[in-house]
Amino acid sequence: MDGRAVLVVGGSGSTGRRVCAELTGAGHAVRSVSRSARVRFDWADPSTWDQAVDGARAAYVMAPDGVGVDPAFLERAVELGVERVVLLSSDAVEEMGDERLLAAEEAVRSLVPEWTVLRPDWFDQNFDEGVLVEQVRAGAVVVPVEGVRQAFVHAGDIAAVAAAALTREGLQGRTLRVTGPRALSFAEAVALVAEQAGFAVRFEGGAKDFVRVLTQAGVQGGEIDRMLASFAALVERGDAVPSGVVEQVTGRAAVDFADFVVEAAPAWRV
């Protein structure tokens, strides 16, 4: 790559800040942008796009949950010189019916000269800094996936693959499943969490428990039905199979979930 900056959209997020660290550590110029960063970026405010993009050659792109990747942003980025985009998507987007991410993937593939789509499995960090941390602290993790195994992946490994795709040749034009080194059921993962947390945490994997939690949170019936259908499709897909992508791209072993929980333990002891 030349000396132009690599743009990291959502540079303060779970993967974004780790992508920044990977790139900086390798000596690349990085421009981290978000709604609260020094260089402000807001998907809903096109007036912020040019200053974020101008002068960058490559971009790591993700959008917060519920926010779409605007094709107009990608078009403008390419106009201003961005040649390569790495998009953070998600595994099982077809099964989960995630039209937002499917549309983002299609836009990147059709509008960007050099693209890579990352489809990671469940983040390890969901348990210590994401959607499941409060459930862990409350002593019950409720996800309606029964005993189906997931290839939980560390956000640092996702970032390492993203940084490679942003700066190295050979990963463009590919959709990469990014997984951890082994597949675990949620019950097995939660047992490892509880061991390090130092208090009892149980796993509840049935639809009835999930509906109860969503109803208590004020989620409406139609949205509950949609979510149940998505998780049912995920269960129907069956056990995840580790992809080996982290090892192939980085040349090192992916972080095992058992090592992650040791690292994450302080988050649960508050």
Side-chain angles (χ1 to χ4, degrees):
M1 286 187 64
D2 58 34
R4 287 181 288 165
V6 178
L7 172 67
V8 178
V9 175
S12 60
S14 290
T15 59
R17 69 176 187 272
R18 292 174 169 92
V19 172
C20 290
E22 288 278 346
L23 294 169
T24 301
H28 298 285
V30 176
R31 183 181 303 154
S32 174
V33 301
S34 68
R35 286 184 297 178
S36 59
R38 181 181 62 82
V39 179
R40 183 172 174 270
F41 176 87
D42 188 338
W43 285 105
D45 184 0
S47 70
T48 66
W49 295 354
D50 281 13
Q51 66 174 348
V53 169
D54 195 22
R57 178 183 184 272
Y60 175 75
V61 173
M62 58 81 61
D65 189 32
V67 176
V69 172
D70 193 330
F73 166 75
L74 297 174
E75 292 175 339
R76 185 59 177 157
V78 171
E79 287 176 359
L80 292 175
V82 170
E83 301 165 4
R84 179 176 297 181
V85 167
V86 174
L87 173 71
L88 180 67
S89 184
S90 177
D91 198 21
V93 287
E94 287 93 356
E95 290 85 352
M96 296 292 283
D98 195 328
E99 297 298 333
R100 176 183 71 96
L101 288 178
L102 288 170
E105 291 187 7
E106 176 59 28
V108 165
R109 293 186 184 109
S110 63
L111 297 172
V112 178
E114 300 176 5
W115 58 266
T116 306
V117 172
L118 304 185
R119 286 187 169 188
D121 210 319
W122 290 81
F123 288 20
D124 293 352
Q125 280 68 25
N126 282 332
F127 288 90
D128 73 328
E129 58 184 70
V131 295
L132 300 178
V133 63
E134 293 304 327
Q135 292 189 18
V136 171
R137 291 172 180 164
V141 173
V142 184
V143 186
V145 292
E146 304 174 5
V148 174
R149 293 176 177 270
Q150 317 297 327
F152 298 99
V153 60
H154 196 284
D157 286 337
I158 300 168
V161 173
L166 286 162
T167 59
R168 286 170 26 193
E169 302 305 316
L171 296 173
Q172 292 70 53
R174 296 175 61 185
T175 298
L176 303 175
R177 287 187 61 245
V178 188
T179 74
R182 60 175 171 147
L184 298 169
S185 69
F186 256 92
E188 292 168 330
V190 169
L192 290 170
V193 168
E195 182 179 324
Q196 291 301 319
F199 53 83
V201 187
R202 67 184 183 278
F203 172 60
E204 298 176 354
K208 183 177 179 180
D209 295 314
F210 189 62
V211 170
R212 169 179 51 80
V213 169
L214 292 180
T215 301
Q216 291 173 348
V219 180
Q220 299 301 306
E223 179 63 11
I224 291 174
D225 291 342
R226 186 195 66 78
M227 295 176 71
L228 285 173
S230 294
F231 278 108
L234 184 62
V235 170
E236 180 66 23
R237 189 181 72 155
D239 293 342
V241 177
S243 66
V245 162
V246 173
E247 294 83 354
Q248 295 161 15
V249 171
T250 69
R252 58 165 175 75
V255 176
D256 189 85
F257 192 83
D259 295 320
F260 156 73
V261 295
V262 174
E263 162 197 318
W268 304 315
R269 299 171 184 167
V270 297

